[in-house]
Amino acid sequence: MKLATVAHGGRRTAAVLDGDHWRALPADDLSTLLATTAPDRFAGLAGARLPGAVPVLPLPSPRKVVCCGLNYADHITEMGRELPDHPTLFAKYADTLTGPEDDLVLPKGLDVDWEAELAVVVGAELSGADRDLAERSIAGYTVANDVSVRDWQRRTLQWFQGKAWDRTTPLGPLVVTPDELDPVAGVEVICRVNGAERQRGNTRTLVFDAADLLAYVSAFTTLRPGDVVLTGTPGGVGMGMTQPVFLADGDLVETEIPGIGTLRNRFRLADPRS
Amino acid sequence: MKLATVAHGGRRTAAVLDGDHWRALPADDLSTLLATTAPDRFAGLAGARLPGAVPVLPLPSPRKVVCCGLNYADHITEMGRELPDHPTLFAKYADTLTGPEDDLVLPKGLDVDWEAELAVVVGAELSGADRDLAERSIAGYTVANDVSVRDWQRRTLQWFQGKAWDRTTPLGPLVVTPDELDPVAGVEVICRVNGAERQRGNTRTLVFDAADLLAYVSAFTTLRPGDVVLTGTPGGVGMGMTQPVFLADGDLVETEIPGIGTLRNRFRLADPRS
């Protein structure tokens, strides 16, 4: 199944793709639907066709958004670090997320960088789960860009303040269920800036895969349906370049995972008067 | 005012202290009340007396719990670091919090340490706030212990995975409004383990005070009524001792701020069969 939250006729609804058409699912968005209904029941709930529906932020209200850093061997090398024994984790908020075509609006003077990522959507409550249970509890996969404010990320030892700026992590456009996508076998994770490819990694090279991460996080905190785990970014970020490059006003960031879709987000400087 | 969420007659309610008696406020807890009602209206809403009411976790559902590390000059020195230009921030969850008298239950084999802290409760929505607005938006102060799993905290560069174990950060017992408590003038923050004093700091020595922290966080993410910011811990943590000491099964951790109250939490090893 390909799932989304779509805008249609002035309102939002969870939806499932049926051929070329979106069909309504009985909730305002996927966060709400996952909170009440197991993903394996979604197919039987598909309602009316929604002509002209457009995917928006699929999961507007996860309680937890956990991110893994340093998880692709090539990116770890790029950052000058060694392969890890444990995943490096940090947190974002529901407020940090934004839609698949939304502008990324930030004040002037920040070092804003891109990080294309595969994101995992939790489909069941998980506490102290082993890898097998974690794997069976994946609702689906989507695309994220862990857009990072590098100067704030580096102000202190803790990355959080560079990673949790409101409406800076685009997510979507679709959530694809595990029967249709296998990141262990490998999917490509691509980032283009103004059309130039900056990142291309493959999830088969992840040090910790989706099931590893869900199990690891569930050892210390409960994950619930609709929570999101970002799996880290491959090499090619702006700060890793010989001459570091950051986003400028008007730059177009495209984040793609074939089989899921593409995020298209323009970077805009905030109006200093606003 | 002294506010709390109290257990009374098999249910929970927000409450305000009137002399020696708790009086009901019109919400199930302070998180819910703050979401709908400005703190300056609370006094006029006090209802029936609640004889025998007992304070529980005052804020069960903050959307954001932001923590500051390395904020007391003596603790910074103890950890071998220099005074910072910016606050070091990390995140916890609502799930991380627990009540003022609850046991702290964790699996065997972890290095569990104490960190007594002053916690600030946000009273208004704050985005891009300056220090003055942030100061006027403080709903009150409470006591917290940022109980930390040091071995997980040190597994990677990011502390989060040692700081966000479910039900390990006791909070409460009261929330005291700013007209009755002035941390800038100074309040003592004390931790005792099995009756022996391990920490005693004074909030007048904070590098970043409550208003500084709320303003700083609001630069990147919106704070809302009922959100909680922990201000850091003074010297005297277990891992800072010449021979590091961690909590053992049955240890009693008491965390006190005179003028607010005392948390009393017993550390218990989880039953390995559970």
Side-chain angles (χ1 to χ4, degrees):
Chain A
M1 279 187 297
K2 292 183 171 65
L3 304 165
T5 298
V6 298
H8 177 260
R11 55 181 290 268
R12 297 190 171 200
T13 179
V16 57
L17 200 61
D18 175 15
D20 290 339
H21 298 271
W22 289 103
R23 287 185 181 274
L25 289 170
D28 289 347
D29 56 63
L30 284 180
S31 292
T32 310
L33 188 65
L34 282 163
T36 58
T37 309
D40 59 9
R41 293 189 48 223
F42 287 7
L45 297 172
R49 281 192 179 190
L50 304 169
V54 175
V56 294
L57 174 59
L59 295 151
S61 53
R63 285 201 259 189
K64 294 175 186 169
V65 182
V66 182
C67 306
C68 183
L70 309 172
N71 200 17
Y72 284 83
D74 59 343
H75 181 53
I76 294 169
T77 306
E78 172 183 74
M79 307 297 277
R81 300 200 167 98
E82 298 196 348
L83 289 186
D85 295 321
H86 304 287
T88 299
L89 302 176
F90 57 92
K92 291 179 183 276
Y93 295 117
D95 280 344
T96 321
L97 305 178
T98 194
E101 306 265 341
D102 291 347
D103 285 351
L104 309 171
V105 182
L106 281 167
K108 196 173 169 181
L110 301 174
D111 294 344
V112 183
D113 202 353
W114 52 87
E115 294 199 354
E117 310 208 0
L118 173 76
V120 188
V121 182
V122 177
E125 185 165 314
L126 288 175
S127 179
D130 62 20
R131 198 184 177 291
D132 283 351
L133 177 58
E135 188 164 27
R136 291 197 305 275
S137 302
I138 294 170
Y141 301 99
T142 187
V143 186
N145 198 310
D146 173 19
V147 168
S148 301
V149 178
R150 298 294 188 200
D151 42 339
W152 283 58
Q153 183 183 344
R154 292 177 155 187
R155 280 185 168 182
T156 73
L157 294 168
Q158 299 303 299
W159 303 343
F160 168 72
Q161 65 187 265
K163 295 287 196 171
W165 288 64
D166 285 356
R167 294 173 298 283
T168 57
T169 296
L171 192 81
L174 313 185
V175 175
V176 178
T177 52
D179 55 305
E180 295 191 14
L181 196 89
D182 183 3
V184 173
V187 294
E188 298 217 291
V189 177
I190 303 157
C191 186
R192 290 179 295 273
V193 179
N194 298 329
E197 185 173 297
R198 296 297 183 192
Q199 297 185 278
R200 180 179 290 263
N202 193 296
T203 55
R204 88 172 84 83
T205 71
L206 284 172
V207 181
F208 306 100
D209 71 13
D212 292 335
L213 291 174
L214 265 53
Y216 190 89
V217 172
S218 84
F220 63 90
T221 191
T222 305
L223 292 170
R224 296 188 183 81
D227 286 345
V228 177
V229 175
L230 272 64
T231 60
T233 201
V237 299
M239 88 170 160
M241 297 169 75
T242 313
Q243 292 277 31
V245 170
F246 301 110
L247 293 174
D249 190 39
D251 282 354
L252 178 66
V253 181
E254 292 175 289
T255 316
E256 180 181 0
I257 297 180
I260 304 179
T262 303
L263 309 169
R264 288 184 186 82
N265 304 90
R266 205 168 284 280
F267 179 71
R268 295 285 188 199
L269 292 180
D271 183 339
R273 295 162 302 178
S274 68
Chain B
M1 278 186 299
K2 291 184 172 66
L3 305 165
T5 299
V6 298
H8 178 261
R11 55 181 289 268
R12 297 190 171 200
T13 178
V16 57
L17 199 61
D18 174 14
D20 290 340
H21 298 272
W22 289 103
R23 286 185 182 275
L25 290 171
D28 289 347
D29 56 63
L30 284 180
S31 292
T32 310
L33 189 64
L34 282 164
T36 57
T37 309
D40 59 10
R41 292 189 49 223
F42 287 7
L45 298 172
R49 281 191 179 191
L50 305 169
V54 176
V56 295
L57 174 60
L59 296 150
S61 53
R63 285 201 260 188
K64 293 175 186 168
V65 182
V66 182
C67 306
C68 183
L70 310 172
N71 199 18
Y72 284 84
D74 59 343
H75 182 53
I76 294 169
T77 306
E78 173 183 75
M79 307 297 277
R81 300 199 167 99
E82 298 195 349
L83 289 186
D85 294 322
H86 304 288
T88 298
L89 301 176
F90 57 91
K92 290 178 183 278
Y93 295 116
D95 279 344
T96 321
L97 304 178
T98 194
E101 306 264 341
D102 291 348
D103 285 352
L104 309 171
V105 182
L106 281 166
K108 197 173 169 181
L110 301 174
D111 295 343
V112 183
D113 202 353
W114 52 86
E115 294 199 353
E117 310 209 358
L118 174 76
V120 188
V121 182
V122 176
E125 185 165 314
L126 288 176
S127 179
D130 61 20
R131 199 186 176 289
D132 282 351
L133 177 59
E135 189 165 26
R136 291 196 306 275
S137 303
I138 294 170
Y141 300 100
T142 187
V143 186
N145 198 311
D146 173 19
V147 168
S148 302
V149 178
R150 297 295 187 200
D151 43 339
W152 283 58
Q153 183 183 344
R154 292 176 155 187
R155 280 186 169 181
T156 72
L157 294 169
Q158 300 303 300
W159 303 343
F160 168 72
Q161 66 187 264
K163 297 284 196 174
W165 288 64
D166 285 356
R167 295 174 298 283
T168 57
T169 296
L171 192 81
L174 313 184
V175 175
V176 179
T177 52
D179 55 306
E180 295 191 13
L181 197 89
D182 183 4
V184 174
V187 294
E188 298 218 290
V189 177
I190 303 157
C191 187
R192 289 181 295 273
V193 179
N194 299 329
E197 184 173 298
R198 296 298 181 191
Q199 298 185 278
R200 180 180 289 263
N202 193 296
T203 55
R204 88 172 85 83
T205 71
L206 284 173
V207 181
F208 305 101
D209 71 14
D212 291 335
L213 290 173
L214 265 53
Y216 190 89
V217 172
S218 84
F220 62 90
T221 190
T222 306
L223 292 170
R224 296 188 182 82
D227 286 345
V228 177
V229 176
L230 273 63
T231 61
T233 201
V237 299
M239 89 170 158
M241 297 169 75
T242 313
Q243 292 277 29
V245 171
F246 300 110
L247 294 174
D249 190 38
D251 282 354
L252 178 65
V253 181
E254 292 175 289
T255 316
E256 180 181 0
I257 296 181
I260 305 178
T262 302
L263 309 170
R264 287 184 186 82
N265 305 91
R266 206 167 282 280
F267 179 71
R268 295 283 187 201
L269 292 180
D271 184 338
R273 297 162 300 179
S274 69

